[in-house]
Amino acid sequence: GLIARQATGSMRDAISMLDQMVSIGNGMVTVDLLRDVLGAAPDEAAEELLGLVLNHELGLALELLEQLTIQGLDMQQFSRDVLELTRALLLVRLGVRPEGVLSPDIMTRLTETARDLDLGTLRHMAGAVAQAAGQARFGHLPQLPLELAMVDIYQHLTRPALSSPPVLAAQP
């Protein structure tokens, strides 16, 4: 899964990466080696990030992003991971099973989380994270687009619902 995600659909890139990993690992390719070399986040990191924001813990979400950045994670790839998870939440909410390799545990958690979110919120989340994923490769602060997306999602979740205007009685 890690090599396929990093290769973003290119078989040639995936084979090249696998060859490099075999060489670096002296014939042994492990998940830890892949994560170290590719700068990939642990599988649960994207889920943890979104969970923190959805639970209105923006400060902890931003601290997590800072820690991942300090650890040398590839923020462009991590942004794509968060986007894939956000898309999966949207699809699950719509009753569609997302393609890809999602464990039964992750599917159960996605289903529980998606059930509590309305489609407008999920669409907003997907848009904010998609924009961040598209901008992650630019600038000297690659984590900034994802940080801004988390702030945007948090603000969307915490702003008061707009109440409908009062209905005026017809004048005789």
Side-chain angles (χ1 to χ4, degrees):
L2 283 174
I3 290 177
R5 283 198 317 250
Q6 190 75 20
T8 61
S10 168
M11 182 63 82
R12 187 178 326 155
D13 289 351
I15 291 170
S16 175
M17 280 184 227
L18 184 58
D19 285 343
Q20 290 174 1
M21 295 304 134
V22 168
S23 176
I24 292 169
N26 295 321
M28 261 320 246
V29 178
T30 65
V31 172
D32 290 336
L33 174 68
L34 288 171
R35 285 193 200 292
D36 288 345
V37 173
L38 297 176
D43 289 337
E44 64 277 356
E47 191 176 359
E48 182 180 356
L49 178 67
L50 288 178
L52 288 169
V53 173
L54 291 172
N55 288 315
H56 301 189
E57 299 183 66
L58 179 61
L60 293 175
L62 296 178
E63 286 177 16
L64 174 61
L65 280 172
E66 183 68 18
Q67 290 169 3
L68 295 173
T69 302
I70 290 169
Q71 292 171 14
L73 264 61
D74 179 345
M75 277 296 134
Q76 187 176 1
Q77 179 59 49
F78 185 62
S79 295
R80 287 192 304 257
D81 293 345
V82 175
L83 181 58
E84 286 177 21
L85 186 64
T86 305
R87 178 180 178 270
L89 270 171
L90 179 62
L91 291 176
V92 166
R93 178 65 172 81
L94 293 170
V96 177
R97 179 165 172 69
E99 80 282 347
V101 183
L102 294 176
S103 72
D105 288 343
I106 290 176
M107 281 303 299
T108 299
R109 289 191 302 270
L110 284 178
T111 302
E112 291 169 1
T113 301
R115 182 179 21 221
D116 297 334
L117 297 169
D118 64 82
L119 289 177
T121 296
L122 287 166
R123 187 204 54 74
H124 185 87
M125 289 173 62
V129 176
Q131 184 176 5
Q135 295 173 346
R137 66 177 170 257
F138 304 113
H140 69 282
L141 293 171
Q143 74 275 24
L144 183 61
L146 199 50
E147 289 170 339
L148 294 175
M150 295 302 107
V151 170
D152 186 29
I153 292 167
Y154 173 80
Q155 287 180 322
H156 178 84
L157 292 169
T158 58
R159 78 168 178 243
L162 298 174
S163 59
S164 54
V167 177
L168 300 175
Q171 298 290 324

